[in-house]
């Protein structure tokens, strides 16, 4: 009820600012908001649905192993195609939770069987990845489902990472990260524009956003100095060519929103920002995670903020571990970085409080 009142107040406020030229459909706005609230409230159920689908997939694959279906490569591909098709059909025709869970399980099983069968038939990795990307794009276009769209986005990006690793072209991970950084920034900063665009289904916005975010973090792991994997990627700093300028750009947007106009203060903010970001040039994952935090803060996306903070802490810890400095020097670096962050927090918090009073 309180949120409904806030929506009406915001509509009235915008109407006063824009005048008669501002047109809106109040019923549709309320319906879209109600749908989004249902989607948010069921996020835990969706996570359980994905876990349930994964467990069901493992159980079914165990059954196939016992039944001996793995002996027929063509049978694997055909069965996988049937499961994938059934999953998409179920998701389009039925909107119940139990059906949603079944469709996730069937979709995961289908993709796995297709990959396993084609691999057994000695089909090349490039061909398999192209096929998976086409299936994922088809799924996004047909179902408009949160979970299947999310899985499809991860599948597409996972295929690109596989191709980079399989072909030993690790330098392309910088291109991969750069593309995702730009895409994610565009999606965040143009949320209203995308949701208002009739060509872009609003139901796809959230799964695409979170899918791109997780895909980006996966890519950043490879340039997070040691990261989880160590493929000997050269020129780690290359990704910083994108991460640092984008981070500075976001800081400039936040500064404008807060309403800072004092020239000396602006110089101080940008100087501190640059001083903090320069050491991260050798670990672009840190500035990449910071970018996610700033984007989530800018649009008040709490899930993204939590993911960004966790990633930031991990990449900072990894960077700290990899530095070839003495323990004292490392401690000083962390101490100074912490002071800079606290200053930013105190300053932005003070400005936001002033804006609220106004």
């Amino acid at each position: 009820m309180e949120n409904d009142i806030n929506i009406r107040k915001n509509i009235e406020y915008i109407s006063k600012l824009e005048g008669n030229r501002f047109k809106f459909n109040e019923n549709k706005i309320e319906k879209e908001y109600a749908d989004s609230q249902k989607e948010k409230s069921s996020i835990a159920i969706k996570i359980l649905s994905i876990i349930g689908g994964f467990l069901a997939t493992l159980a079914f694959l165990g059954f196939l192993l016992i039944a001996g279906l793995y002996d027929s490569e063509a049978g694997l591909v055909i069965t996988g195609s049937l499961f994938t098709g059934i999953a998409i059909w179920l998701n389009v025709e039925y909107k119940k939770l139990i059906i949603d869970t079944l469709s996730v399980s069937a979709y995961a099983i289908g993709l796995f069987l297709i990959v396993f069968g084609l691999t057994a038939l000695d089909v090349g990795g490039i061909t398999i990845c192209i096929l998976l990307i086409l299936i994922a794009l088809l799924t996004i276009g047909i179902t408009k489902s949160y979970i299947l769209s999310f899985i499809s986005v991860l599948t597409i990006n996972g295929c690109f990472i596989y191709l980079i690793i399989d072909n030993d072209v690790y330098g392309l991970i910088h291109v991969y990260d750069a593309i995702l950084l730009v895409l994610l920034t565009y999606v965040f900063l143009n949320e209203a524009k995308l949701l208002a665009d009739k060509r872009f289904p609003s139901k796809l916005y959230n799964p695409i956003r979170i899918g791109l975010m997780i895909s980006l973090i996966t890519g950043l792991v490879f340039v997070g100095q040691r990261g989880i994997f160590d493929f000997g990627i050269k020129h780690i700093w290359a990704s910083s060519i994108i991460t640092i300028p984008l981070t500075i750009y976001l800081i400039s947007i936040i500064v404008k929103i807060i309403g800072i106009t004092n020239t000396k203060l602006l110089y101080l903010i940008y100087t501190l920002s640059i001083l903090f970001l320069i050491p991260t040039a050798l670990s672009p994952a840190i500035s990449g995670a910071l970018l996610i935090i700033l984007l989530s803060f800018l649009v008040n996306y709490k899930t993204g903020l939590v993911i960004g903070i966790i990633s930031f802490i991990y990449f900072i810890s990894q960077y700290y571990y990899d530095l070839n400095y003495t323990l004292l020097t490392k401690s000083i670096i962390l101490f100074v970085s912490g002071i800079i962050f606290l200053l930013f927090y105190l300053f932005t918090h003070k400005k936001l409080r002033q804006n609220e009073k106004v």
Side-chain angles (χ1 to χ4, degrees):
M1 183 66 184
E2 182 180 347
N3 289 323
D4 292 337
I5 294 171
N6 288 333
I7 290 174
R8 291 192 181 94
K9 285 183 177 179
N10 287 329
I11 291 174
E12 290 174 2
Y13 176 71
I14 296 171
S15 299
K16 289 178 181 178
L17 290 177
E18 297 294 328
N20 295 329
R21 62 181 177 176
F22 178 67
K23 296 179 180 180
F24 62 93
N25 188 328
E26 187 172 351
N27 292 330
K28 191 171 182 180
I29 291 173
E30 290 178 355
K31 184 178 180 300
E32 286 288 337
Y33 178 76
D35 291 341
S36 68
Q37 289 301 105
K38 287 179 181 178
E39 191 172 83
K40 286 180 181 178
S41 63
S42 61
I43 187 67
I45 298 176
K46 288 175 181 175
I47 293 172
L48 291 175
S49 176
I50 293 173
I51 295 172
F54 177 72
L55 294 176
T57 301
L58 292 178
F60 188 80
L61 292 175
F63 167 75
L64 293 179
L65 179 63
I66 296 171
L69 182 62
Y70 290 135
D71 297 332
S72 172
E73 292 85 358
L76 287 170
V77 177
I78 293 170
T79 306
S81 301
L82 285 173
F83 269 91
T84 305
I86 290 171
I88 294 173
W89 176 76
L90 284 173
N91 210 276
V92 171
E93 291 295 322
Y94 303 97
K95 300 300 178 184
K96 294 183 179 179
L97 179 61
I98 184 65
I99 301 297
D100 203 28
T101 305
L102 287 173
S103 68
V104 172
S105 305
Y107 190 75
I109 291 169
L111 290 182
F112 182 87
L113 292 179
I114 290 172
V115 172
F116 197 87
L118 291 176
T119 303
L121 289 169
D122 293 326
V123 176
I126 295 177
T127 305
I128 294 174
C129 284
I130 291 173
L131 180 61
L132 288 177
I133 290 171
L134 291 175
I135 291 172
L137 290 173
L138 185 67
T139 303
I140 294 172
I142 293 176
T143 65
K144 311 293 189 299
S145 162
Y146 187 102
I147 300 177
L148 290 189
S149 297
F150 170 68
I151 293 174
S152 297
V153 172
L154 294 184
T155 300
I156 293 170
N157 288 286
C159 286
F160 285 122
I161 289 179
Y162 170 81
L163 290 174
I164 290 172
I165 296 172
D166 189 55
N167 292 283
D168 298 329
V169 283
Y170 303 121
L172 288 180
I173 198 68
H174 299 301
V175 178
Y176 172 87
D177 286 343
I179 292 172
L180 283 182
L181 283 162
V182 173
L183 271 177
L184 190 65
T185 303
Y186 177 82
V187 167
F188 267 91
L189 297 182
N190 293 275
E191 179 178 354
K193 183 179 178 181
L194 289 172
L195 292 176
D197 193 337
K198 294 180 180 179
R199 296 169 297 178
F200 183 83
S202 59
K203 290 183 179 179
L204 290 179
Y205 181 79
N206 285 325
I208 287 177
R209 178 172 62 176
I210 187 68
L212 287 174
M213 186 183 298
I214 292 177
S215 299
L216 172 60
I217 290 172
T218 304
L220 291 175
V221 166
F222 289 89
V223 293
Q225 202 67 10
R226 283 174 176 266
I228 295 175
F229 307 101
D230 187 8
F231 294 108
I233 299 174
K234 297 180 179 179
H235 309 301
I236 292 285
W237 51 266
S239 290
S240 298
I241 297 174
I242 297 294
T243 57
I244 291 179
L246 277 178
T247 304
I248 295 294
Y249 174 66
L250 277 178
I251 291 172
S252 69
I253 293 176
I254 294 173
V255 165
K256 287 179 182 178
I257 292 174
I258 294 174
I260 300 172
T261 55
N262 187 289
T263 306
K264 291 183 179 179
L265 201 53
L266 287 173
Y267 277 128
L268 177 62
I269 291 172
Y270 288 124
T271 301
L272 288 174
S273 300
I274 292 170
L275 287 175
F276 174 78
L277 290 171
I278 285 176
T280 70
L282 296 178
S283 183
I286 296 175
S287 50
L290 184 60
L291 184 76
I292 293 173
I293 293 172
L294 292 175
L295 284 169
S296 301
F297 171 76
L298 190 61
V299 301
N300 194 28
Y301 181 42
K302 295 178 182 177
T303 303
L305 192 61
V306 172
I307 293 173
I309 290 171
I310 293 172
S311 304
F312 184 76
I313 292 171
Y314 166 74
F315 291 131
I316 281 282
S317 302
Q318 190 63 59
Y319 183 56
Y320 176 81
Y321 176 77
D322 290 337
L323 284 175
N324 295 318
Y325 297 137
T326 63
L327 185 61
L328 177 61
T329 306
K330 289 180 178 180
S331 300
I332 292 172
I333 291 172
L334 285 181
F335 179 75
V336 173
S337 301
I339 290 176
I340 292 173
F341 273 109
L342 285 174
L343 288 173
F344 269 124
Y345 169 76
L346 292 172
F347 180 76
T348 53
H349 184 69
K350 181 181 178 181
K351 282 290 181 180
L352 288 173
R353 289 288 296 272
Q354 288 177 354
N355 290 339
E356 286 176 2
K357 291 177 180 179
V358 173

